[in-house]
Amino acid sequence: TKGIEVGHIFKLGTVYSAPLKAEYLDENGRSQPFIMGTYGMGVSRLVAAVIEQHHDEKGCIWTPATAPYLVNVMVSNIKEESHMQYGENLYAQLQKEGIEAILDDRKERFGFKMSDAELIGFPYTVIVGKELDNGSVQIMIRATREIITVGATEVIAKIRELVK
């Protein structure tokens, strides 16, 4: 079967302790070299293992436990002042709630930002766009790529519900 090494253990024995005279006294009072070992976890290997298990043709699909940010607040048109204000307020509320979020307020086109959101793999992307004029926003669930529409005032509650 295929696998990925994310950690290792090396049994060093007395390879280093004997030449360095790193010793202890045993129960009979005689000097003995320490029997040594070492272990390590590769953080970058853990990241690779998560991505290997959770991805699709669009990119990464971070799990809520491993995501650098749980929520991506994406303002589709930053020239719309009310959309930017809503996005900034939502970002601040998420931060206040202890929900790790990022605000995508780049000048890029919507499709470009959406492709980036899918590539990076944020578990949830709140799309602040034209729907806001009707009192709602959309949430894309990255794992399923499902897009749900929620009331603009209900986003925090919906995010809390989704992350349970």
Side-chain angles (χ1 to χ4, degrees):
T1 61
K2 292 182 180 183
I4 184 168
E5 179 189 63
V6 295
H8 56 256
I9 297 173
F10 294 113
K11 296 179 181 180
L12 301 173
T14 59
V15 171
Y16 296 106
S17 59
L20 293 171
K21 300 211 184 308
E23 301 172 337
Y24 68 96
L25 296 178
D26 67 14
E27 63 274 358
N28 298 319
R30 285 185 252 150
S31 284
Q32 299 290 334
F34 286 108
I35 298 172
M36 297 174 62
T38 181
Y39 64 92
M41 295 295 292
V43 174
S44 59
R45 292 176 181 196
L46 291 172
V47 169
V50 170
I51 293 170
E52 179 67 29
Q53 295 299 309
H54 303 279
H55 71 280
D56 62 14
E57 70 282 351
K58 297 281 188 177
C60 303
I61 303 173
W62 290 107
T63 65
T66 59
Y69 296 97
L70 191 60
V71 178
N72 171 32
V73 177
M74 184 176 70
V75 180
S76 63
N77 182 1
I78 64 167
K79 293 178 184 173
E80 285 288 339
E81 206 171 298
S82 61
H83 296 187
M84 266 308 296
Q85 185 175 22
Y86 176 85
E88 288 171 346
N89 289 339
L90 177 59
Y91 171 75
Q93 287 177 331
L94 289 165
Q95 293 290 311
K96 190 175 179 181
E97 291 273 333
I99 298 171
E100 293 176 324
I102 189 167
L103 175 63
D104 187 350
D105 59 354
R106 296 176 295 160
K107 295 178 184 178
E108 306 295 339
R109 294 178 339 272
F110 171 76
F112 185 86
K113 288 183 186 184
M114 198 63 188
S115 291
D116 276 358
E118 290 176 318
L119 176 66
I120 294 167
F122 303 109
Y124 306 102
T125 294
V126 177
I127 302 164
V128 181
K130 296 175 188 174
E131 297 286 328
L132 184 61
D133 298 335
N134 300 322
S136 56
V137 296
Q138 296 176 314
I139 300 174
M140 183 191 70
I141 302 167
R142 178 62 182 93
T144 61
R145 296 182 58 212
E146 174 187 6
I147 295 178
I148 56 175
T149 301
V150 297
T153 59
E154 301 160 8
V155 176
I156 301 277
K158 186 63 177 178
I159 293 289
R160 272 198 233 106
E161 177 187 317
L162 290 169
V163 300
K164 284 184 178 179

